[in-house]
Amino acid sequence: MPNKRFKKFLSVKGFKFTKEREEIFSEIMLIEGHFDPDELFITMKTKGSKVSRASIYRTIPLLVDGGLIEKVEMTDRHAHYEKKPGKRHHDHMICSICGKVIEFYSPELEKLQESICRKEKFKALRHSLEIMGRCGDCG
Amino acid sequence: MPNKRFKKFLSVKGFKFTKEREEIFSEIMLIEGHFDPDELFITMKTKGSKVSRASIYRTIPLLVDGGLIEKVEMTDRHAHYEKKPGKRHHDHMICSICGKVIEFYSPELEKLQESICRKEKFKALRHSLEIMGRCGDCG
DNA sequence: CATTTAATTGAGATTTAGTCTCAGTTTAAA
DNA sequence: TTTAAACTGAGACTAAATCTCAATTAAATG
């Protein structure tokens, strides 16, 4: 129950668990795919929610901070977010000193690759990205 | 002389080559690194230019269309652009049907990788990205 | 060179995603 | 309870980018 994770995150940070935050959070958890804050506001309002736009805009960064959602796209006019996925494809950073492999996944990077491929009329099936360099410990 | 390329691009598209567009274009060509439209407007104004903000915002998409500059970053609040580079690092799309290799370079992708690495305290030295899939011809 | 016409311009109004303010409310710890 | 700090909603505000429209200008044509 990610609800619990959110609650925990808030209390650790010294923030309060309010009805509004809970409402926003559980509404987001219902969304398949990505959303933008204003769209979410309209949806909630339509459903009869009294939560304000300000609270939505204030809660989203908390959820991002808490690792519950991610910013996945930045168009000219909108930011888009989505629920964090479970385990899936990831890329690698490889330290050439100690050999450590850092797995990372960036939905933003995935989106960007998609859009680059679209531009080239290329249908991507899979990809591999390896970044070579020095990890934090090997400075 | 990229000025000529710009002129050509405009005439091919049926657009006019105006003093304002020339002024904006040559000002951009003087800039090392990236810039944002408003910053450019201020710079030009300071130098005594009479060109309006509207013209700058209208000219930039033309330059992007004409392949003379690229959008390199989208922060929460700004778009950033820079002059197109000559030959440098590039990544690959590889068609698994016909084997064609498409070289591409995306400054946006590079920036994004940099920021991902920063987050992991990883010092990137080089990277390789290969996207496998089907090219436009092999549909 | 003069005419014509469609593109372009500047000034400032407008849009819009996102942020901020602040008085009143609520949480949660004591 | 009490209390202090966090939170909320309504709407004002900000700022990047776009749009409007009358006046201007490029450049194709006669």
Side-chain angles (χ1 to χ4, degrees):
Chain A
M1 199 202 219
N3 201 321
K4 214 160 187 173
R5 266 179 71 204
F6 184 37
K7 213 162 173 175
K8 174 121 191 247
F9 167 76
L10 289 174
S11 87
V12 165
K13 288 272 184 172
F15 297 134
K16 287 172 179 168
F17 185 71
T18 66
K19 319 183 217 44
E20 290 83 1
R21 284 174 179 169
E22 180 171 30
E23 208 183 327
I24 292 164
F25 175 64
S26 47
E27 189 62 38
I28 288 175
M29 288 303 126
L30 293 178
I31 299 171
E32 286 306 319
H34 60 178
F35 66 94
D36 68 75
D38 243 67
E39 178 185 303
L40 176 61
F41 173 63
I42 303 294
T43 305
M44 291 180 68
K45 187 144 220 174
T46 304
K47 290 191 183 176
S49 170
K50 292 278 196 304
V51 173
S52 71
R53 175 183 278 108
S55 286
I56 289 176
Y57 274 101
R58 284 188 283 232
T59 299
I60 284 173
L62 292 180
L63 292 169
V64 172
D65 256 37
L68 290 153
I69 66 173
E70 286 186 302
K71 184 183 284 195
V72 292
E73 210 182 352
M74 274 284 307
T75 66
D76 278 30
R77 316 292 276 163
H78 281 282
H80 286 258
Y81 301 83
E82 73 178 13
K83 284 179 284 187
K84 268 217 176 172
K87 188 74 174 174
R88 50 168 157 162
H89 157 80
H90 56 259
D91 296 306
H92 293 130
M93 293 176 199
I94 303 170
C95 176
S96 49
I97 311 260
C98 72
K100 180 160 72 180
V101 175
I102 302 170
E103 295 184 352
F104 69 94
Y105 174 79
S106 160
E108 234 178 325
L109 192 75
E110 304 291 316
K111 290 270 170 193
L112 185 51
Q113 284 183 40
E114 273 171 41
S115 102
I116 294 167
C117 287
R118 242 192 323 279
K119 226 183 292 173
E120 303 281 350
K121 297 186 194 324
F122 190 85
K123 269 207 157 88
L125 297 173
R126 65 204 155 79
H127 70 260
S128 102
L129 168 61
E130 292 189 343
I131 304 179
M132 272 66 73
R134 290 195 314 254
C135 72
D137 298 334
C138 299
Chain B
M1 197 201 219
N3 200 320
K4 214 159 186 173
R5 266 179 72 205
F6 184 37
K7 214 161 171 173
K8 174 117 191 255
F9 167 75
L10 289 174
S11 85
V12 164
K13 288 273 185 171
F15 297 134
K16 288 173 181 171
F17 185 71
T18 65
K19 321 184 217 43
E20 290 84 0
R21 283 173 180 170
E22 181 170 32
E23 208 183 327
I24 293 165
F25 175 64
S26 46
E27 190 62 36
I28 289 175
M29 287 303 125
L30 292 179
I31 300 171
E32 287 306 321
H34 59 179
F35 66 94
D36 68 73
D38 241 67
E39 178 185 303
L40 177 61
F41 174 62
I42 303 295
T43 305
M44 291 180 67
K45 188 145 218 172
T46 304
K47 290 191 184 179
S49 170
K50 294 277 195 305
V51 173
S52 71
R53 175 183 278 109
S55 287
I56 288 174
Y57 274 100
R58 283 189 284 232
T59 299
I60 283 173
L62 291 180
L63 292 168
V64 172
D65 255 38
L68 291 152
I69 65 174
E70 284 186 303
K71 186 184 284 195
V72 292
E73 210 182 351
M74 274 286 306
T75 67
D76 278 29
R77 314 293 276 163
H78 281 282
H80 285 259
Y81 301 83
E82 75 178 14
K83 284 181 280 188
K84 270 218 174 172
K87 188 74 172 174
R88 50 170 158 158
H89 158 80
H90 56 260
D91 296 304
H92 293 130
M93 293 177 200
I94 303 169
C95 177
S96 50
I97 310 262
C98 71
K100 179 160 70 180
V101 176
I102 302 170
E103 295 183 354
F104 69 94
Y105 175 79
S106 160
E108 235 178 325
L109 191 75
E110 304 291 317
K111 291 267 170 195
L112 185 51
Q113 284 184 39
E114 274 171 41
S115 100
I116 294 167
C117 287
R118 240 190 325 277
K119 227 183 292 171
E120 303 281 350
K121 297 188 194 322
F122 190 85
K123 269 207 156 90
L125 296 173
R126 64 205 155 77
H127 69 260
S128 104
L129 168 60
E130 292 189 343
I131 304 179
M132 272 65 74
R134 290 196 314 256
C135 72
D137 298 334
C138 298

